[in-house]
Amino acid sequence: MTTTLPTMPNPETAPPNVFVHHVLFYLKNPDSKADQAKLLEGLNKLAKCPTIRMVHIGTPAATNRAVIDRAYAYSWLCFFDSPADEESYQKHPIHDDFRNNYAHLWEKVVIYDAVGPKL
């Protein structure tokens, strides 16, 4: 039996129309269940921003390799149809409310933004 894998789009010709926004939240009080629950509450509200196409809220997996950072409390991964949609999300009142009401919980955030072809 032969298996055919789907072909990947050529990055040079495929439109870079997917914007990925990945944020890792490091809490000031990482052992506080109340702070974890409060941040999760805020992330669930933030997920209602209309330009987000897909969102994933995660916690560190139980993997154990030297290169894995497991010190963050939540991973916030969302996909947008374009950089303009991500920019709209950044300026949306829901996003402003999230920062204003939940920023006191985190010690730092690390953000990775990437643009690439829709697969």
Side-chain angles (χ1 to χ4, degrees), residues 43-60:
L43 291 170
N44 281 308
K45 289 179 182 180
L46 185 58
K48 295 180 181 2
C49 278
T51 58
I52 297 173
R53 288 296 153 241
M54 189 173 93
V55 67
H56 177 269
I57 300 168
T59 56

Side-chain angles (χ1 to χ4, degrees), residues 48-50 87-97 99:
K48 295 180 181 2
C49 278
E87 183 65 24
S88 176
Y89 152 85
Q90 290 292 334
K91 296 176 180 175
H92 197 281
I94 292 173
H95 191 263
D96 291 340
D97 288 344
R99 281 193 313 263

Side-chain angles (χ1 to χ4, degrees), residues 35 38-39 41-43 45 93-106:
D35 286 2
K38 189 73 173 168
L39 181 55
E41 169 194 279
L43 291 170
K45 289 179 182 180
I94 292 173
H95 191 263
D96 291 340
D97 288 344
F98 174 75
R99 281 193 313 263
N100 292 335
N101 295 318
Y102 299 93
H104 70 279
L105 297 170
W106 59 76

Side-chain angles (χ1 to χ4, degrees), residues 7 15 18 28 35 41-42 50-51 62 74 92 111:
T7 58
V18 175
K28 288 180 184 174
D35 286 2
E41 169 194 279
T51 58
Y74 284 103
H92 197 281
I111 301 173

